[in-house]
Amino acid sequence: MEKYALFGKLMTQPGKRDELLAILTQAAQLVATAKGCHHYIVYKDAQHQDWIWVSEIWDSEADHDNSLQIEGVMDLISQAMPLLAGRPEKIEMTVVGGKGIS
Amino acid sequence: MEKYALFGKLMTQPGKRDELLAILTQAAQLVATAKGCHHYIVYKDAQHQDWIWVSEIWDSEADHDNSLQIEGVMDLISQAMPLLAGRPEKIEMTVVGGKGIS
């Protein structure tokens, strides 16, 4: 079955990137053992000092959606919201193959 | 040391996506054992039928740049160029952490 993948772009209020990175790192720990979770990787954009990217790979979109129900995740989303400047952007994909994913 | 990461977006000529996916899958095999290569993952965009994404993670930008010298890589790039519609786009980042990367 083709795996579901997602790149998310999050733009923070000025100076708030480190705070949001800490929240997303906690989120990564919460979802790491979730059903169907292969990747949840957090990045700092090299050109824009208030931008963060996340790449996720899941067995299915349903597994991704279910991860929002994991205890603590909605709380982290609530903490993250006031740090954002604008709506997060999402690129949805399916995995074809390569190195770093089985 | 912070790892270097890259999302690349490649837009193909109409109907050429599968051909380019095959080339990129070969490229992934060539660089899989390169020094400093952690990820080279190829994706199909879910919304745009001629778009491809690649996510790469390397120990350093230099390791990424050196991968262009691997035997066969430049040949694959030559095969890929005529399939493209426009210039590839690149998002450069550093890895903060998460699941799926050590």
Side-chain angles (χ1 to χ4, degrees), chain A residues 2 5-8 21 25 28 31-34 37-47 53-57 91-101, chain B residues 2 5-8 21 25 28 31-34 37-47 53-57 91-101:
Chain A
E2 286 188 324
L6 176 66
F7 296 157
L21 285 171
T25 304
V31 303
T33 55
C37 180
H38 295 272
H39 285 184
Y40 188 104
I41 303 174
V42 182
Y43 312 81
K44 292 188 282 193
D45 190 287
Q47 318 297 336
W53 293 86
V54 177
S55 67
E56 303 180 39
I57 298 180
I91 297 157
E92 293 181 286
M93 300 160 294
T94 54
V95 176
V96 176
K99 158 142 185 178
I101 185 73
Chain B
E2 284 186 326
L6 176 65
F7 296 157
L21 286 171
T25 304
V31 304
T33 56
C37 181
H38 294 273
H39 285 184
Y40 187 105
I41 303 174
V42 181
Y43 311 81
K44 291 188 282 193
D45 191 286
Q47 318 296 336
W53 294 86
V54 177
S55 67
E56 302 181 39
I57 297 180
I91 297 157
E92 293 182 286
M93 301 159 294
T94 54
V95 175
V96 176
K99 158 138 187 182
I101 185 72

Side-chain angles (χ1 to χ4, degrees), chain A residues 1 6 10-12 21 26-27 33 36 39-42 44 47 51 64 70 81 83 87-88 90-91 98:
Chain A
M1 196 176 70
L6 176 66
L10 300 103
M11 295 150 287
T12 70
L21 285 171
Q26 283 181 264
T33 55
H39 285 184
Y40 188 104
I41 303 174
V42 182
K44 292 188 282 193
Q47 318 297 336
W51 290 14
H64 166 269
I70 294 169
M81 294 297 280
L83 304 176
R87 204 180 158 77
K90 184 166 80 164
I91 297 157

Side-chain angles (χ1 to χ4, degrees), chain B:
Chain B
M1 196 176 71
E2 284 186 326
K3 291 184 180 69
Y4 173 78
L6 176 65
F7 296 157
K9 181 170 89 172
L10 300 104
M11 293 151 287
T12 70
Q13 303 285 344
K16 295 294 186 186
R17 184 161 78 173
D18 286 349
E19 204 173 326
L20 186 54
L21 286 171
I23 291 171
L24 291 169
T25 304
Q26 283 181 263
Q29 287 167 356
L30 288 180
V31 304
T33 56
K35 177 178 175 294
C37 181
H38 294 273
H39 285 184
Y40 187 105
I41 303 174
V42 181
Y43 311 81
K44 291 188 282 193
D45 191 286
Q47 318 296 336
H48 301 89
Q49 64 180 6
D50 295 318
W51 290 15
I52 293 168
W53 294 86
V54 177
S55 67
E56 302 181 39
I57 297 180
W58 296 83
D59 276 334
S60 69
E61 185 170 0
D63 284 339
H64 166 268
D65 293 349
N66 289 336
S67 71
L68 300 177
Q69 310 303 324
I70 293 168
E71 190 173 345
V73 167
M74 288 308 290
D75 184 48
L76 289 176
I77 292 173
S78 303
Q79 292 175 41
M81 294 298 280
L83 304 176
L84 294 176
R87 203 181 159 76
E89 295 173 21
K90 183 165 80 163
I91 297 157
E92 293 182 286
M93 301 159 294
T94 54
V95 175
V96 176
K99 158 138 187 182
I101 185 72
S102 52

